[in-house]
């Protein structure tokens, strides 16, 4: 079965979504990532969506689920590289991606992950949409 | 508004949803819609095609290029012979879902397109027609 590869970089996991995912592939990624976070005791997940041409409610829900799941497993998720047209469309669609942190590119996403996983336990405000 | 060009695609499986997105993207790009408009049209296509598969039990999409005066539009019809929708008004509301979804497919698509009409009858099926004008 087709799968999206998950790269391991120390205590972080890195995923680059490069294909127009059909729904099952998105579900598989969600499951694989959850298992990988637990298995490697990952502290952070970086998802690069710069090649994604759309994010619909299904993919949006998957991304929000991954973020929520990673928090339960004591890891942070950062989404990087969302194209401006995709961001504009997401807002109009009505998706706010609650709990999903974003960064402009892989580099600043990694910095954010490092900062998040080094800072002590956060409070209530954690998870509010930023940027 | 006689269509200049028209094509029908089956919408029965998850792969058909991908194919529908790609076909609509191609047409929207050929029609020279802006990147933002293309993204909106393809996103609405994805939502409505998924509804056709998930809730309508499968059906088809008819895409056509239409004209009104000097304006060109991309017109998409999603049709199924599924269970229909008992309360359309409720279904059109943000957050309404009978399937554990986000409940944004119908309401969101309406916002993303210039025109949106839905016809549905319980036990007979659902037809959603949308147009994006340039
Ligand atoms: N083609 C259809 N046939 C039958 N019922 C439909 C159809 N399209 C939509 N519905 C009904 O309308 C509701 C709202 O649809 P909508 O697309 O807005 O949300 P959803 O599909 O439940 O969730 P989301 O699209 O956000 O993942 C659905 O839950 C379903 O009950
Ligand atoms: Mg839907």
């Amino acid at each position: 079965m087709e799968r999206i590869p998950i790269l391991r970089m120390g205590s972080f996991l890195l995923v680059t979504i490069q294909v127009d995912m059909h729904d099952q592939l998105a579900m598989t990624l969600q499951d694989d990532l959850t298992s990988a976070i637990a298995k490697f005791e990952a502290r952070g997940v970086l998802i690069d969506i710069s090649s994604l041409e759309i994010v619909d409610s299904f993919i949006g829900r998957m991304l929000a689920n991954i973020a929520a799941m990673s928090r339960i497993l004591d890891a942070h998720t950062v989404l990087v590289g969302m194209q401006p047209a995709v961001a504009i469309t997401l807002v109009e669609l009505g998706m706010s991606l609650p709990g999903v942190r974003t960064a402009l590119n892989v580099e600043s996403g990694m910095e954010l992950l490092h900062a998040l996983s080094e800072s002590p336990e956060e409070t209530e405000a954690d998870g509010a949409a930023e940027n | 508004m006689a269509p200049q060009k028209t094509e029908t695609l089956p919408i029965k499986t998850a792969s058909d949803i991908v194919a529908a997105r790609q076909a609509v993207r191609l047409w929207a790009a050929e029609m020279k819609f802006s990147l933002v408009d293309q993204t909106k049209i393809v996103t609405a296509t994805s939502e409505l095609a998924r509804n056709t598969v998930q809730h309508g039990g499968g059906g088809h999409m008819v895409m056509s290029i239409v004209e009104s005066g000097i304006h060109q539009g991309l017109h998409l019809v999603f049709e199924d012979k599924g269970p229909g929708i008992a309360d359309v008004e409720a279904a059109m509301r943000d957050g309404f879902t009978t399937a554990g979804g986000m409940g944004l497919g119908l309401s969101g698509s309406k916002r993303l397109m210039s025109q949106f009409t839905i016809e549905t009858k319980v036990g007979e099926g659902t037809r959603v027609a949308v147009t994006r004008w340039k």
Side-chain angles (χ1 to χ4, degrees):
Chain A
M1 198 179 71
E2 197 189 354
R3 281 197 134 84
I4 294 174
I6 298 171
L7 294 179
R8 195 178 152 203
M9 285 179 64
S11 55
F12 297 148
L13 301 175
L14 210 135
V15 176
T16 305
I17 303 177
Q18 266 164 335
V19 291
D20 187 347
M21 287 189 290
H22 57 81
D23 294 358
Q24 189 52 51
L25 189 57
M27 296 294 289
T28 306
L29 175 62
Q30 186 180 320
D31 292 347
D32 286 354
L33 256 180
T34 309
S35 314
I37 293 169
K39 183 173 162 198
F40 300 120
E41 296 182 354
R43 302 303 319 275
V45 178
L46 190 113
I47 305 176
D48 181 358
I49 60 163
S50 54
S51 305
L52 265 196
E53 293 185 326
I54 66 152
V55 172
D56 60 12
S57 65
F58 193 87
I59 303 292
R61 184 151 58 109
M62 173 202 80
L63 295 170
N65 284 348
I66 290 172
M69 213 68 85
S70 68
R71 278 321 284 141
I72 292 170
L73 297 169
D74 198 24
H76 294 275
T77 295
V78 173
L79 200 63
V80 303
M82 185 185 291
Q83 294 177 17
V86 172
I88 291 166
T89 301
L90 255 188
V91 170
E92 201 159 315
L93 183 64
M95 287 233 41
S96 54
L97 292 184
V100 181
R101 288 167 188 275
T102 56
L104 275 184
N105 52 41
V106 173
E107 204 183 358
S108 51
M110 279 308 239
E111 276 168 21
L112 180 55
L113 272 186
H114 276 290
L116 288 169
S117 54
E118 273 153 27
S119 66
E121 260 327 288
E122 285 157 73
T123 48
E124 290 291 272
D126 182 32
E130 273 150 46
N131 299 342
Chain B
M1 156 157 136
Q4 295 180 319
K5 179 180 167 187
T6 177
E7 193 179 321
T8 304
L9 272 74
I11 307 288
K12 295 185 161 55
T13 65
S15 313
D16 291 341
I17 302 174
V18 177
R21 287 202 289 255
Q22 288 168 351
V24 168
R25 166 76 66 180
L26 201 70
W27 281 38
E30 273 174 15
M31 290 173 72
K32 299 197 159 51
F33 275 104
S34 70
L35 182 58
V36 171
D37 280 357
Q38 288 179 36
T39 307
K40 289 181 180 180
I41 298 167
V42 175
T43 303
T45 301
S46 191
E47 294 298 338
L48 297 172
R50 185 174 296 102
N51 281 355
T52 302
V53 174
Q54 281 187 344
H55 310 304
H60 60 262
M61 170 182 82
V62 184
M63 43 198 294
S64 41
I65 298 177
V66 291
E67 256 174 25
S68 169
I70 55 160
H71 293 286
Q72 253 200 345
L74 183 49
H75 182 67
L76 307 168
V77 179
F78 298 82
E79 234 168 341
D80 65 66
K81 292 193 162 54
I85 304 172
D87 189 346
V88 193
E89 222 176 287
M92 287 304 304
R93 249 178 258 139
D94 271 357
F96 178 92
T97 177
T98 59
M102 307 285 304
L104 291 174
L106 290 177
S107 51
S109 302
K110 185 175 182 180
R111 285 190 289 270
L112 293 171
M113 301 297 282
S114 321
Q115 279 169 335
F116 180 104
T117 56
I118 181 164
E119 293 161 57
T120 180
K121 205 162 177 192
V122 173
E124 289 186 15
T126 301
R127 181 183 190 274
V128 178
V130 292
T131 312
R132 179 90 200 185
W133 295 103
K134 275 194 66 182

